[in-house]
Short mmCIF file of all heavy atoms in Angstrom, two decimals:
data_model
loop_
_atom_site.label_atom_id
_atom_site.label_comp_id
_atom_site.label_asym_id
_atom_site.label_seq_id
_atom_site.Cartn_x
_atom_site.Cartn_y
_atom_site.Cartn_z
N TYR A 392 96.18 72.93 115.15
CA TYR A 392 95.56 73.95 114.32
C TYR A 392 96.50 75.08 113.91
O TYR A 392 96.06 76.09 113.37
CB TYR A 392 94.35 74.55 115.05
CG TYR A 392 93.26 73.55 115.33
CD1 TYR A 392 93.06 73.06 116.63
CD2 TYR A 392 92.43 73.09 114.32
CE1 TYR A 392 92.05 72.14 116.90
CE2 TYR A 392 91.42 72.17 114.57
CZ TYR A 392 91.25 71.70 115.86
OH TYR A 392 90.25 70.79 116.12
N GLY A 393 97.79 74.93 114.20
CA GLY A 393 98.74 75.98 113.87
C GLY A 393 99.27 76.67 115.11
O GLY A 393 98.73 76.53 116.22
N THR A 394 100.34 77.43 114.92
CA THR A 394 101.00 78.10 116.03
C THR A 394 101.43 79.51 115.66
O THR A 394 101.51 79.87 114.48
CB THR A 394 102.26 77.33 116.47
OG1 THR A 394 103.24 77.39 115.41
CG2 THR A 394 101.96 75.87 116.79
N LEU A 395 101.74 80.29 116.70
CA LEU A 395 102.49 81.52 116.56
C LEU A 395 103.84 81.32 117.22
O LEU A 395 103.93 80.63 118.25
CB LEU A 395 101.76 82.69 117.22
CG LEU A 395 100.41 83.09 116.63
CD1 LEU A 395 99.76 84.20 117.45
CD2 LEU A 395 100.56 83.53 115.18
N PHE A 396 104.89 81.91 116.66
CA PHE A 396 106.22 81.71 117.21
C PHE A 396 107.05 82.97 117.01
O PHE A 396 106.69 83.89 116.27
CB PHE A 396 106.91 80.52 116.53
CG PHE A 396 107.17 80.72 115.06
CD1 PHE A 396 108.30 81.40 114.61
CD2 PHE A 396 106.27 80.24 114.10
CE1 PHE A 396 108.54 81.59 113.25
CE2 PHE A 396 106.51 80.43 112.74
CZ PHE A 396 107.65 81.11 112.32
N LYS A 397 108.21 83.00 117.68
CA LYS A 397 109.21 84.00 117.37
C LYS A 397 110.56 83.31 117.27
O LYS A 397 110.79 82.25 117.86
CB LYS A 397 109.26 85.11 118.42
CG LYS A 397 109.75 84.70 119.79
CD LYS A 397 109.77 85.92 120.72
CE LYS A 397 110.20 85.55 122.14
NZ LYS A 397 110.21 86.73 123.03
N VAL A 398 111.45 83.91 116.49
CA VAL A 398 112.77 83.35 116.30
C VAL A 398 113.78 84.49 116.31
O VAL A 398 113.51 85.58 115.78
CB VAL A 398 112.84 82.55 114.96
CG1 VAL A 398 112.59 83.45 113.76
CG2 VAL A 398 114.16 81.82 114.83
N SER A 399 114.90 84.28 116.95
CA SER A 399 115.94 85.30 116.98
C SER A 399 116.71 85.28 115.67
O SER A 399 116.59 84.35 114.87
CB SER A 399 116.90 85.04 118.15
OG SER A 399 117.67 83.88 117.91
N LEU A 400 117.53 86.31 115.45
CA LEU A 400 118.32 86.37 114.22
C LEU A 400 119.36 85.26 114.15
O LEU A 400 119.88 84.96 113.07
CB LEU A 400 119.00 87.73 114.09
CG LEU A 400 118.08 88.96 114.01
CD1 LEU A 400 118.88 90.20 113.65
CD2 LEU A 400 116.95 88.75 113.01
N SER A 401 119.63 84.64 115.30
CA SER A 401 120.58 83.53 115.32
C SER A 401 119.88 82.17 115.30
O SER A 401 120.54 81.13 115.31
CB SER A 401 121.47 83.62 116.55
OG SER A 401 120.69 83.57 117.75
N GLY A 402 118.53 82.17 115.29
CA GLY A 402 117.80 80.91 115.16
C GLY A 402 117.16 80.38 116.42
O GLY A 402 116.56 79.30 116.40
N GLY A 403 117.25 81.10 117.53
CA GLY A 403 116.59 80.66 118.75
C GLY A 403 115.08 80.70 118.59
O GLY A 403 114.51 81.75 118.30
N PHE A 404 114.40 79.57 118.76
CA PHE A 404 112.98 79.43 118.45
C PHE A 404 112.13 79.33 119.72
O PHE A 404 112.48 78.59 120.64
CB PHE A 404 112.76 78.18 117.59
CG PHE A 404 111.35 77.94 117.16
CD1 PHE A 404 110.87 78.45 115.96
CD2 PHE A 404 110.47 77.20 117.95
CE1 PHE A 404 109.58 78.24 115.54
CE2 PHE A 404 109.16 76.98 117.54
CZ PHE A 404 108.72 77.50 116.34
N THR A 405 111.03 80.07 119.76
CA THR A 405 110.09 80.01 120.88
C THR A 405 108.67 79.93 120.36
O THR A 405 108.25 80.79 119.57
CB THR A 405 110.21 81.26 121.78
OG1 THR A 405 111.56 81.41 122.22
CG2 THR A 405 109.29 81.13 123.00
N ARG A 406 107.95 78.91 120.77
CA ARG A 406 106.53 78.81 120.42
C ARG A 406 105.74 79.70 121.38
O ARG A 406 105.91 79.63 122.60
CB ARG A 406 106.07 77.36 120.54
CG ARG A 406 104.67 77.11 120.00
CD ARG A 406 104.36 75.61 119.95
NE ARG A 406 103.57 75.15 121.06
CZ ARG A 406 104.05 74.56 122.15
NH1 ARG A 406 105.34 74.36 122.28
NH2 ARG A 406 103.25 74.16 123.12
N LEU A 407 104.88 80.55 120.82
CA LEU A 407 104.17 81.53 121.62
C LEU A 407 102.72 81.18 121.87
O LEU A 407 102.18 81.51 122.93
CB LEU A 407 104.22 82.91 120.93
CG LEU A 407 105.61 83.47 120.66
CD1 LEU A 407 105.50 84.78 119.88
CD2 LEU A 407 106.36 83.70 121.97
N TYR A 408 102.06 80.54 120.90
CA TYR A 408 100.63 80.31 121.04
C TYR A 408 100.21 79.13 120.18
O TYR A 408 100.71 78.97 119.06
CB TYR A 408 99.84 81.56 120.62
CG TYR A 408 98.35 81.44 120.85
CD1 TYR A 408 97.81 81.56 122.13
CD2 TYR A 408 97.48 81.18 119.80
CE1 TYR A 408 96.45 81.44 122.34
CE2 TYR A 408 96.11 81.04 120.01
CZ TYR A 408 95.61 81.17 121.29
OH TYR A 408 94.26 81.04 121.51
N ASP A 409 99.30 78.31 120.71
CA ASP A 409 98.71 77.20 119.96
C ASP A 409 97.25 77.53 119.64
O ASP A 409 96.45 77.75 120.57
CB ASP A 409 98.75 75.91 120.79
CG ASP A 409 100.15 75.36 120.91
OD1 ASP A 409 100.69 74.90 119.90
OD2 ASP A 409 100.70 75.40 122.03
N PHE A 410 96.91 77.58 118.39
CA PHE A 410 95.52 77.80 118.01
C PHE A 410 94.69 76.58 118.40
O PHE A 410 95.17 75.43 118.32
CB PHE A 410 95.41 78.08 116.52
CG PHE A 410 95.96 79.43 116.13
CD1 PHE A 410 97.28 79.55 115.71
CD2 PHE A 410 95.17 80.57 116.23
CE1 PHE A 410 97.79 80.79 115.38
CE2 PHE A 410 95.69 81.81 115.90
CZ PHE A 410 97.01 81.92 115.47
N ASP A 411 93.45 76.82 118.81
CA ASP A 411 92.62 75.72 119.33
C ASP A 411 91.27 75.63 118.64
O ASP A 411 90.34 75.03 119.19
CB ASP A 411 92.45 75.85 120.83
CG ASP A 411 91.70 77.13 121.22
OD1 ASP A 411 91.25 77.87 120.32
OD2 ASP A 411 91.56 77.39 122.43
N ASP A 412 91.13 76.20 117.49
CA ASP A 412 89.89 76.22 116.70
C ASP A 412 88.90 77.24 117.21
O ASP A 412 88.39 78.05 116.45
CB ASP A 412 89.25 74.83 116.62
CG ASP A 412 88.20 74.76 115.52
OD1 ASP A 412 88.42 75.34 114.44
OD2 ASP A 412 87.14 74.14 115.74
N THR A 413 88.60 77.25 118.51
CA THR A 413 87.65 78.24 119.02
C THR A 413 88.22 79.65 118.92
O THR A 413 87.46 80.62 118.79
CB THR A 413 87.27 77.95 120.48
OG1 THR A 413 88.45 77.97 121.29
CG2 THR A 413 86.59 76.60 120.60
N THR A 414 89.53 79.77 119.00
CA THR A 414 90.18 81.08 118.85
C THR A 414 90.85 81.23 117.49
O THR A 414 91.68 82.12 117.29
CB THR A 414 91.24 81.28 119.95
OG1 THR A 414 92.21 80.23 119.86
CG2 THR A 414 90.60 81.26 121.33
N GLY A 415 90.49 80.36 116.56
CA GLY A 415 91.04 80.41 115.21
C GLY A 415 91.86 79.19 114.89
O GLY A 415 92.35 78.49 115.78
N ARG A 416 92.00 78.94 113.59
CA ARG A 416 92.85 77.86 113.12
C ARG A 416 93.34 78.16 111.70
O ARG A 416 92.73 78.95 110.98
CB ARG A 416 92.12 76.51 113.13
CG ARG A 416 90.90 76.43 112.22
CD ARG A 416 90.28 75.03 112.28
NE ARG A 416 89.01 74.96 111.60
CZ ARG A 416 88.87 74.75 110.29
NH1 ARG A 416 89.95 74.61 109.54
NH2 ARG A 416 87.68 74.70 109.74
N THR A 417 94.43 77.55 111.33
CA THR A 417 95.04 77.70 110.00
C THR A 417 95.39 79.17 109.71
O THR A 417 94.83 79.80 108.82
CB THR A 417 94.11 77.16 108.90
OG1 THR A 417 93.51 75.94 109.32
CG2 THR A 417 94.89 76.92 107.62
N PRO A 418 96.34 79.71 110.45
CA PRO A 418 96.78 81.09 110.17
C PRO A 418 97.75 81.11 108.99
O PRO A 418 98.85 80.57 109.07
CB PRO A 418 97.48 81.51 111.47
CG PRO A 418 98.01 80.22 112.03
CD PRO A 418 97.02 79.15 111.63
N GLU A 419 97.33 81.70 107.89
CA GLU A 419 98.14 81.72 106.67
C GLU A 419 98.78 83.07 106.39
O GLU A 419 99.63 83.18 105.52
CB GLU A 419 97.26 81.35 105.47
CG GLU A 419 96.62 79.99 105.55
CD GLU A 419 95.85 79.65 104.29
OE1 GLU A 419 95.68 80.55 103.44
OE2 GLU A 419 95.43 78.49 104.15
N ILE A 420 98.37 84.09 107.12
CA ILE A 420 98.71 85.46 106.77
C ILE A 420 99.87 85.98 107.61
O ILE A 420 99.92 85.78 108.82
CB ILE A 420 97.46 86.35 106.92
CG1 ILE A 420 96.43 85.97 105.85
CG2 ILE A 420 97.81 87.82 106.83
CD1 ILE A 420 95.08 86.60 106.03
N THR A 421 100.80 86.66 106.96
CA THR A 421 101.96 87.25 107.63
C THR A 421 101.50 88.27 108.66
O THR A 421 100.66 89.13 108.38
CB THR A 421 102.88 87.92 106.60
OG1 THR A 421 103.29 86.94 105.64
CG2 THR A 421 104.09 88.52 107.26
N LEU A 422 102.06 88.19 109.86
CA LEU A 422 101.73 89.13 110.92
C LEU A 422 102.16 90.55 110.55
O LEU A 422 103.15 90.76 109.84
CB LEU A 422 102.42 88.73 112.21
CG LEU A 422 101.93 87.46 112.89
CD1 LEU A 422 102.96 86.97 113.91
CD2 LEU A 422 100.59 87.68 113.57
N LEU A 423 101.41 91.53 111.03
CA LEU A 423 101.79 92.94 110.93
C LEU A 423 101.99 93.48 112.34
O LEU A 423 101.13 93.29 113.20
CB LEU A 423 100.70 93.75 110.23
CG LEU A 423 100.90 95.27 110.35
CD1 LEU A 423 101.97 95.76 109.37
CD2 LEU A 423 99.60 96.04 110.14
#
Side-chain angles (χ1 to χ4, degrees):
Y392 298 106
T394 67
L395 296 176
F396 65 84
K397 68 179 178 181
V398 62
S399 69
L400 299 189
S401 60
F404 182 91
T405 304
R406 189 171 99 262
L407 302 176
Y408 185 76
D409 288 292
F410 289 94
D411 63 4
D412 195 40
T413 59
T414 59
R416 62 178 171 84
T417 318
E419 300 184 351
I420 292 171
T421 302
L422 291 163
L423 168 78

